Amino acid sequence: MAGDQPPQRPRGSDDYSSGAGKGWTAVAYLISGILVWGFIGWLVDRWLDTGGLATAIGVVVGAAMAVYLIVLRLGGTTR
Amino acid sequence: MTRYTTALAADVPFPPGIEEFYPPSLVGGAGHWLTKFTLLIWIAVAILIVFFLVAYRSPKMVPTRMQWMAESVYGFARDRIAGDLIGHEGARFASYLATLFCFIFVTNAFAIIPFIQISPNSHIAFPAVLAVISLVMFFWVGVRRHGFWGYLKHAMIPPAPWFVLWLLIPIEFISTFIVRPFTLAVRLFANMFAGHMILLVFTLGGFVLLNSAVAFVKPLSVFSWLLAIALTFLEALVIILQAYVFTVLTASYVQGALAEDH
């Protein structure tokens, strides 16, 4: 069955399938953006004793970069 | 259920705790290698092998009911999941995706089958292994397509100006290679865990109400059980949906690894 070509039928479920993948990818970006730079900010906090300021900056920068990544990777590409 | 009906007279352990998800060894000395969960996994594998072998033993032009079911499941995985998400290369992955969908569906379904009523997937170990298989698969597929460094570049370096790139690469790495398999495993595990917990709370809660010292409270147990039945139907929906979501996301990750740079 390796040569089988899936029939190209427009159906409602198609949108759901690829939409779900993109949605979860976006969520993964947001979570990891906040985690990665929040964690690095937290380390900086521990190191320089800045009382949570670096963590806050890290979380916000991480979230912003995640949104930027989402636009970059998922925005405007209609498959 | 029998366990609980026999325990009716005695005090029911309420509220249920997480020890429910650590079933004891079935045979002395086998330890964790032979518990209700591992037995259920083997039963699920046996069911799937027998089902597909029998269904396709002598395929007919006009399919029997069983052959029709097997073909529908495979056709669904090939066309609606592999075909739609991965595209014309999807047929290569159809057999794995169909197997994955069926396996998760059958193991999930144990959650609401009477007298079994718990799914192995409500223990994190089983979804974790499935998620690791998905991770290894999309990584391998990506390396085959782009080469090792080519794939890492493809997966981790987005088309962005250099001065933000260093902020983005760690996010790409964590989200692709850690958050993806982690969420894949936790989504399935948490759904099955919570589903089992909810059914336990309302089933056992009915007995707790029935054993109540206050006569007025006793009839309320009927409502608890009615809710348990209603939630079992909800659980049936979750079982299918989670099997589908896991398969769709695996296909979508494979597609991402195969995609050309844009």
Side-chain angles (χ1 to χ4, degrees), chain B residues 86-256:
Chain B
I86 308 179
H88 64 96
E89 286 178 289
R92 279 202 289 145
F93 301 96
S95 48
Y96 176 69
L97 293 174
T99 312
L100 183 68
F101 176 79
C102 293
F103 180 72
I104 297 178
F105 173 72
V106 172
T107 45
N108 276 359
F110 288 140
I112 56 167
I113 291 175
F115 304 111
I116 298 176
Q117 278 172 328
I118 190 164
S119 166
N121 291 330
S122 57
H123 192 296
I124 185 73
F126 299 97
V129 170
L130 293 176
V132 167
I133 294 174
S134 292
L135 169 71
V136 170
M137 189 168 85
F138 80 70
F139 187 79
W140 175 247
V141 164
V143 169
R144 283 278 296 268
R145 170 58 51 93
H146 303 282
F148 183 75
W149 296 111
Y151 175 61
L152 285 187
K153 184 173 173 292
H154 170 78
M156 283 166 55
I157 304 185
W162 60 269
F163 52 87
V164 285
L165 214 50
W166 62 277
L167 285 167
L168 299 179
I169 289 172
I171 303 179
E172 286 275 24
F173 174 77
I174 297 284
S175 81
T176 306
F177 298 115
I178 293 173
V179 172
R180 269 183 187 184
F182 182 78
T183 51
L184 212 49
V186 167
R187 187 179 303 114
L188 179 56
F189 150 74
N191 270 285
M192 300 320 294
F193 181 94
H196 183 71
M197 220 45 169
I198 287 172
L199 292 185
L200 264 185
V201 164
F202 284 101
T203 312
L204 296 183
F207 286 110
V208 171
L209 291 173
L210 196 64
N211 290 345
S212 166
V214 190
F216 170 72
V217 172
K218 286 178 190 285
L220 293 178
S221 58
V222 174
F223 292 104
S224 187
W225 287 324
L226 281 179
L227 206 54
I229 292 168
L231 286 168
T232 304
F233 285 102
L234 181 73
E235 191 65 5
L237 200 69
V238 171
I239 282 164
I240 299 173
L241 194 67
Q242 288 308 315
Y244 177 64
V245 165
F246 199 106
T247 317
V248 159
L249 287 177
T250 300
S252 139
Y253 296 157
V254 168
Q255 189 275 328

Side-chain angles (χ1 to χ4, degrees), chain A residues 9-52:
Chain A
R9 275 175 299 164
R11 280 250 301 252
S13 66
D14 309 2
D15 304 333
Y16 176 74
S17 298
S18 62
K22 284 184 180 177
W24 287 110
T25 308
V27 172
Y29 275 142
L30 275 177
I31 294 173
S32 22
I34 292 168
L35 278 186
V36 170
W37 289 106
F39 178 67
I40 291 172
W42 179 79
L43 287 181
V44 172
D45 259 339
R46 303 255 313 193
W47 176 40
L48 297 178
D49 203 17
T50 36

